[in-house]
Amino acid sequence: MGLDAYVVCNCVKEGNVKPPPFDISLLEITDEGIDILESVNDETYELYQQWRENACEHEDFYYYQDRVFNVAGGNFFYGIIDRLGQDKFPLLFSIGEKSLSADQAEKALKELDIFESGASKLQGIFLVDTVSNDEYGRSLPGEDKWFLSSGGEHTYQLNDRGFCILDRDHRELFHSVAFAQEVMSVEKEGRKHKHARFHDLEMGRIFESSYPLSRKIWGIDELYYPKSFQVVKRNLKGSDSRPARVLRSLFEASLQIGNPIIWA
């Protein structure tokens, strides 16, 4: 599971929308968004759905909307908070629980400044494509949380031993700090699937998995499969926490127009 968030625009309140093809009094305007009364008939509801698609300059009436984090990103974010001290971040630690007002967003921005300053003094563990230097996973020393799961068959972790593959009973099947990935197509039940062979470059260990490490490249249909990886330990940078970047944009948007942040 992940966490999404949004800030609703003020266009309807300010009258900066296209006139709706129905009685505007049928609209419900709340901090959480724009909707129409449940009592309207199907025809009016369909008109409402068509109207809201381009009723104002903001898609679906969201002034700002983004995914804050997925499971792995959330683990990394809260892991940093745990190390810096939860008591320093009462608002950041409670995100997702209830809406955050514009006044609280101002305070949360100050917490975020402390978070980013403190994070720069911590060390992280990163799984890096040796060709592109893109990062495919990240964790903090001493943690054993997964960053990828292959449908319950295997989980992939980054920890003090490096890149690790565990079975569903949490037994370690493979670990490496520098390894090659060979991706093959295998046929199973009449369909072709991608299959990975991981080859540890230091000890020669080999492990085969049905879940290659890949990345979607914008504008290209096929996934990109790196041929080699290394595990790198270094101090964290502000750019290492995507949730922090998204939260800053959310807090600033909330302050700018005075509306709360809604978690979804």
Side-chain angles (χ1 to χ4, degrees), residues 22-34:
F22 50 83
D23 188 344
I24 197 169
S25 66
L26 296 175
L27 291 177
E28 289 186 305
I29 306 171
T30 68
D31 288 338
E32 296 190 4
I34 313 300

Side-chain angles (χ1 to χ4, degrees), residues 9-20 24 27 29 34 51 55-57 61:
C9 72
N10 287 325
C11 292
V12 174
K13 294 179 182 178
E14 296 172 352
N16 296 323
V17 294
K18 295 180 180 178
I24 197 169
L27 291 177
I29 306 171
I34 313 300
W51 170 77
C56 74
E57 60 179 313
F61 298 111

Side-chain angles (χ1 to χ4, degrees), residues 91 98-109 251:
L91 292 173
K98 56 182 179 180
S99 62
L100 200 72
S101 69
D103 288 341
Q104 289 174 313
E106 185 173 13
K107 297 175 182 177
L109 273 172
F251 298 154

